[in-house]
Amino acid sequence: MPDQILNTEDVSAAVTDALSAQPVWDLHTHLYPPAFGTPVSNASGKVDPRGLMLWGVDELITYHYLIAEVYRIVPATKLPYEQFWKMSKRQQADHIWKHLFAERTPVSEACRGVLTAINLLGFDPNDGLEKIRRYFDQQDPDQYIDRVMKLANVSRITMTNAVFDDNERNRWLADSNVGSDPRFRAVLRIDPLLSDWPGASKKLAEWGYKTSPELNQTSIDEAKRFLGDWVDRMKAIYIAVSQPPEFRYPAEGDQTTRAGQTILEKVILPTCAQRKLPFAMMIGSRRFANPHLQDAGDMLGKADVQAVVRLCQNFPDNKFMLTMLSRENQHELAVAARKFGNLMVFGCWWFVNNPSLIEEITRMRMELLGTSFIPQHSDARILDQLVYKWDHSRKIIGQVMIDKYHDLMQTGWKLTRSQVRRDVKQYLNDNFVEFLGR
């Protein structure tokens, strides 16, 4: 059957159909399978208070975005932070629902996301929470993962596996099959190795590696052995860190900062190059601006794109995946990606994961990078967020693609349906797979 050449009026339906049909490999989340435990009471009967698999309507409503938002409405002078944190999960959810959904119009993106997920799961959000809660109480988490992935049209979920978190690390050590769920792939997250070598070296020494705060050759060799051991244990597909906006390369500042540069140059990047693993950096998070809010208390700052440029220049055999948190960094980062084939720009992370900014950033990247970037990842921490994040993002990405195709067709270019499907597949799957080298 010959490929269909599209008329202008056919483009919108072709893009919508392609985006709807194409499964996405979500390349960065904080999601886990049931083997990592779930703190939610459910039909499986297996409840782990420190479990890492978060799912269900109460987890969705008590996500840290909404905690920060509700404290704008009910400040700490009326509800002290310590009193909120002593509440049960359902009490917290009821408090947030009352003040952000029942007594105010839920127009923020965080609120709209909750409502989109509830709606696409088949519930009327105007009915309140009790009916929805009864549904989740009856679900088996393993089967529920399949339902969410089908609704979101996600083919594979990439975890973020923080080896320096004892809760997670001990789960990997206790069960060699903990990471074997085929729906999930592991990523080795190693922030302290780069940002706090004295503390990290102490941990490594406790775990049987011959490291010391002094970065001698033995410490470097042992740190590389540590990375290799955990890449193998997790079968990690890339190595990742989150960095503050103050990250610089070459390093500026105190001895700890300079030690981080040595670890980067002599441990992390050689390991990644040897194993052909991308090194992912998420830059711009400023932690605990308001520590009373816990995870909800972080904010952002403008980072230095030239640090990324220097890394790409100095380490051409390494592959870098980059996303930045500040809107002000996005244009310079996209231009940098035009200059270095070993730099993959991905996603709209955290505070730029809002519709107006996703559209602006995706449009700018498409104009500068064509089809050679990864427009989105979910960064989901609650399983149910996959439903709304990919529903919202697909619509925004689709509108930008439609506009760009209309511009293209005005030049006389004959756009075909297969070209649209190819582009969508590149954006949602193939660019990531090819950058991994798989």
Side-chain angles (χ1 to χ4, degrees):
M1 183 176 178
D3 194 9
Q4 180 187 357
I5 297 175
L6 299 173
N7 297 317
T8 303
E9 57 270 20
D10 299 326
V11 171
S12 180
V15 171
T16 301
D17 291 347
L19 282 165
S20 177
Q22 175 59 49
V24 61
W25 183 338
D26 197 336
L27 67 89
H28 172 62
T29 79
H30 298 268
L31 302 177
Y32 296 86
F36 287 84
T38 174
V40 179
S41 178
N42 57 77
S44 74
K46 299 176 182 178
V47 179
D48 180 347
R50 300 190 69 210
L52 297 172
M53 179 189 167
L54 303 180
W55 62 288
V57 69
D58 290 317
E59 293 285 358
L60 195 60
I61 294 169
T62 57
Y63 184 54
H64 63 74
Y65 283 21
L66 290 107
I67 292 173
E69 191 172 333
V70 80
Y71 262 100
R72 293 190 54 78
I73 311 305
V74 185
T77 53
K78 294 183 178 180
L79 178 65
Y81 296 114
E82 59 271 18
Q83 185 176 334
F84 176 83
W85 294 118
K86 288 178 181 177
M87 291 178 177
S88 70
K89 184 70 67 174
R90 289 199 172 184
Q91 288 172 331
Q92 291 175 353
D94 285 337
H95 172 74
I96 292 170
W97 186 267
K98 175 179 186 289
H99 291 286
L100 295 186
F101 294 84
E103 296 183 353
R104 287 179 177 252
T105 308
V107 296
S108 74
E109 179 65 6
C111 287
R112 184 173 77 105
V114 171
L115 299 177
T116 296
I118 289 172
N119 179 259
L120 292 178
L121 284 165
F123 297 97
D124 183 346
N126 300 287
D127 291 342
L129 297 181
E130 291 313 309
K131 181 179 179 181
I132 305 170
R133 281 171 170 159
R134 287 196 296 271
Y135 165 79
F136 281 105
D137 289 343
Q138 298 166 6
Q139 299 308 302
D140 178 273
D142 189 67
Q143 295 174 7
Y144 185 64
I145 290 173
D146 288 335
R147 183 179 184 202
V148 167
M149 292 179 71
K150 183 177 181 180
L151 275 175
N153 200 6
V154 170
S155 61
R156 192 164 290 179
I157 298 169
T158 308
M159 300 180 284
T160 298
N161 304 101
V163 69
F164 284 91
D165 176 78
D166 289 338
N167 184 18
E168 172 158 351
R169 179 178 176 274
N170 289 335
R171 294 172 189 273
W172 285 97
L173 294 174
D175 182 358
S176 61
N177 294 317
V178 72
S180 62
D181 192 314
R183 298 168 294 188
F184 292 79
R185 298 305 301 268
V187 164
L188 179 58
R189 179 77 172 260
I190 54 166
D191 293 15
L193 202 64
L194 192 57
S195 60
D196 179 20
W197 171 250
S201 68
K202 182 179 178 180
K203 281 283 190 182
L204 265 62
E206 292 172 359
W207 298 338
Y209 298 90
K210 298 174 183 177
T211 55
S212 64
E214 297 75 30
L215 261 175
N216 53 33
Q217 189 59 48
T218 298
S219 289
I220 289 170
D221 291 342
E222 287 292 276
K224 289 170 73 174
R225 183 167 73 89
F226 162 76
L227 279 187
D229 287 348
W230 279 92
V231 166
D232 290 340
R233 182 184 297 274
M234 293 179 174
K235 297 181 175 60
I237 59 174
Y238 63 85
I239 294 175
V241 296
S242 176
Q243 287 293 292
E246 292 77 18
F247 173 78
R248 298 291 183 270
Y249 183 82
E252 301 171 358
D254 58 17
Q255 185 175 353
T256 299
T257 306
R258 293 194 297 274
Q261 177 175 318
T262 301
I263 289 294
L264 180 62
E265 293 178 332
K266 296 189 176 182
V267 176
I268 298 172
L269 294 180
T271 299
C272 288
Q274 179 185 15
R275 291 173 173 263
K276 295 181 171 54
L277 296 176
F279 180 51
M281 301 184 73
M282 295 160 282
I283 305 176
S285 173
R286 185 165 279 132
R287 300 293 185 183
F288 302 118
N290 182 353
H292 299 291
L293 286 171
Q294 298 185 18
D295 285 346
D298 299 344
M299 62 174 298
L300 60 84
K302 186 172 184 250
D304 179 21
V305 176
Q306 290 306 307
V308 177
V309 170
R310 295 184 192 105
L311 284 169
C312 292
Q313 289 173 332
N314 292 358
F315 297 91
D317 293 332
N318 280 93
K319 295 184 286 187
F320 297 92
M321 293 169 54
L322 256 296
T323 192
M324 285 186 159
L325 198 48
S326 173
R327 178 190 184 190
E328 288 73 22
N329 284 133
Q330 303 304 324
H331 182 225
E332 187 179 0
L333 179 61
V335 172
R338 285 176 58 89
K339 312 305 172 187
F340 297 97
N342 61 335
L343 174 59
M344 176 59 75
V345 175
F346 73 94
C348 297
W349 177 39
W350 204 342
F351 295 116
V352 291
N353 191 30
N354 288 302
S356 60
L357 297 178
I358 296 170
E359 179 177 354
E360 172 189 308
I361 292 166
T362 303
R363 193 175 297 275
M364 178 267 295
R365 287 174 176 171
M366 204 172 291
E367 290 167 353
L368 284 169
L369 302 172
T371 61
S372 68
F373 68 99
I374 300 168
Q376 192 57 298
H377 65 281
S378 74
D379 198 28
R381 290 179 181 269
I382 317 299
L383 177 68
D384 316 70
Q385 290 175 333
L386 290 178
V387 176
Y388 86 76
K389 290 201 175 192
W390 283 110
D391 178 78
H392 292 185
S393 289
R394 274 186 166 94
K395 290 173 181 174
I396 299 165
I397 294 166
Q399 188 55 59
V400 176
M401 292 183 72
I402 290 165
D403 291 347
K404 293 294 106 184
Y405 286 146
H406 284 160
D407 293 344
L408 180 64
M409 293 168 76
Q410 289 178 9
T411 70
W413 182 266
K414 290 183 173 60
L415 182 70
T416 67
R417 191 172 293 273
S418 66
Q419 289 172 6
V420 172
R421 288 195 295 262
R422 178 191 63 195
D423 294 346
V424 167
K425 190 167 183 284
Q426 287 175 329
Y427 282 139
L428 299 188
N429 185 82
D430 290 0
N431 287 343
F432 179 51
V433 172
E434 290 167 8
F435 199 72
L436 289 178
R438 294 174 181 267

